[in-house]
């Protein structure tokens, strides 16, 4: 029976050593995915202020302020 325990311990040690040699695969994959998602969200956030389709986030279709819109938006333009 001691031979089985020693063999199992040696197998576990070999598996742990092999797993340690894999490198930063999972961490690098997570960082890459998070940076891509962050870049998409940043681009969406920055580009939504440059809309030119005539709609305002709070206003109506004709560019005038809707209910609750900012009526003094172009007062100093």
């Amino acid at each position: 029976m001691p031979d089985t325990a020693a063999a199992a311990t040696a197998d576990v040690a070999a598996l742990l050593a092999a797993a340690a040699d894999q490198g930063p695969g999972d961490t690098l994959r997570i960082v890459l995915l998070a940076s891509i998602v962050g870049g998409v969200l940043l681009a969406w956030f920055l580009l939504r202020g440059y809309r030119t389709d005539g709609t305002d986030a709070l206003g109506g279709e004709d560019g005038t302020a809707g209910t609750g819109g900012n009526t003094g938006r172009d007062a100093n333009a």
Side-chain angles (χ1 to χ4, degrees):
M1 195 59 118
D3 295 333
T4 307
T9 304
D11 289 341
V12 169
L15 289 174
L16 289 176
D21 292 337
Q22 293 298 320
D26 290 336
T27 304
L28 189 59
R29 194 173 298 130
I30 291 170
V31 168
L32 184 63
L33 182 65
S35 64
I36 290 172
V37 170
V40 168
L41 288 174
L42 179 64
W44 172 78
F45 180 75
L46 291 175
L47 290 174
R48 72 185 183 130
Y50 294 106
R51 290 185 187 160
T52 58
D53 60 354
T55 60
D56 188 15
L58 297 175
E61 288 291 325
D62 58 353
T64 61
T67 57
N70 188 1
T71 56
R73 180 178 176 199
D74 295 326
N76 294 329

